[in-house]
Amino acid sequence: MPQLYFLSILCNGLAGYILFSDNDRDGENSQFSIRSPTFLLVLGIIGAVTGVLKLLSPSIGEGIPILSDLIPAAFGLVAGLMLIFGIYRQDVSSKAGELDRLGVSLLAFRKPIGIALMVCALIHFLFPEALFL
């Protein structure tokens, strides 16, 4: 489905940029900021949902749909979880619990996962019918 293909590339690329770039708050006073908690939460939810849907629906003319979308879908799920856990850590005052430990372990690898997301989005864009992308 071309809509999921486009959403996967867009969400993975944008989430990769957000995770890779520094966490500075330059533009926080403007009306729209790429770092606003609302935008990050929506992007995280859309990325995770797109990752699940890409596993469930076949891609553009592929013979083996699960293999061609496995890596972008997995990266979409991870990016969605990382963005959601980042918002959770900023907004929730309690810093204890299993959920927080999982978030801390995921957020420790922000920059490498951000680079991998951007590379995966670029390769998925350039080679839509590759077997493992």
Side-chain angles (χ1 to χ4, degrees):
M1 190 186 286
Q3 296 90 348
L4 288 177
Y5 176 74
F6 173 73
L7 272 177
S8 174
I9 292 171
L10 182 68
C11 289
N12 285 349
L14 196 54
Y17 172 75
I18 290 170
L19 290 173
F20 176 71
S21 65
D22 287 343
N23 213 8
D24 57 349
R25 299 285 181 179
D26 56 347
E28 195 172 279
N29 295 331
S30 65
Q31 289 184 355
F32 175 75
S33 173
I34 197 169
R35 305 237 182 259
S36 71
T38 305
F39 181 76
L40 293 177
L41 182 65
V42 169
L43 182 64
I45 291 171
I46 290 174
V49 168
T50 302
V52 170
L53 289 177
K54 279 188 73 68
L55 289 175
L56 298 176
S57 69
S59 194
I60 304 170
E62 290 290 325
I64 308 171
I66 191 76
L67 290 180
S68 64
D69 290 334
L70 183 64
I71 294 173
F75 273 131
L77 286 170
V78 169
L81 287 176
M82 289 182 76
L83 291 174
I84 292 169
F85 280 130
I87 295 300
Y88 170 77
R89 288 198 38 89
Q90 286 178 353
D91 291 344
V92 175
S93 61
S94 68
K95 300 291 184 195
E98 292 293 321
L99 190 61
D100 192 48
R101 280 188 245 157
L102 177 64
V104 167
S105 62
L106 275 176
L107 292 175
F109 299 103
R110 287 174 57 103
K111 291 195 184 263
I113 290 178
I115 292 171
L117 276 164
M118 289 187 291
V119 167
C120 180
L122 180 67
I123 291 173
H124 196 51
F125 177 73
L126 293 175
F127 306 107
E129 295 186 16
L131 183 60
F132 283 104
L133 283 175

